[in-house]
Amino acid sequence: MYGSVNYDTWVINNNIDGYSDLSYEQYQFTAGATYNFTDAFYTNVSGTYDIFDMGEEYVYGDEDGTAYYGYVGLGWNF
């Protein structure tokens, strides 16, 4: 303890009488497929669509938005 400084998180947290009503939601949709060229050689493909929805603006402003991304892969079973 340093002098008369009292650092008690329980006391500090009990001073909070309410929290913000900010809300954040994310919806994600993904579709994919696999195609076998032979018994050993194949490819994978997938795509994802994300939706970000904030109820109110926050520190960085309005964070609503969408994102698209995909994946293509080749594989070989041996």
Side-chain angles (χ1 to χ4, degrees):
M1 180 82 55
Y2 298 103
S4 63
V5 175
N6 184 7
Y7 186 78
D8 187 348
T9 57
W10 186 85
V11 172
I12 293 171
N13 287 336
N14 280 335
N15 289 331
I16 300 171
D17 59 1
Y19 292 93
S20 71
D21 57 353
L22 295 175
S23 67
Y24 180 84
E25 296 177 359
Q26 177 182 354
Y27 306 98
Q28 185 177 67
F29 305 96
T30 301
T34 300
Y35 180 77
N36 293 324
F37 296 108
T38 66
D39 288 340
F41 184 60
Y42 64 92
T43 186
N44 290 331
V45 178
S46 69
T48 300
Y49 173 63
D50 284 336
I51 302 170
F52 304 96
D53 183 27
M54 289 199 61
E56 296 181 26
E57 291 186 7
Y58 191 53
V59 175
Y60 302 108
D62 186 7
E63 295 181 0
D64 289 345
T66 57
Y68 305 91
Y69 49 97
Y71 167 79
V72 175
L74 295 173
W76 184 270
N77 291 323
F78 52 94

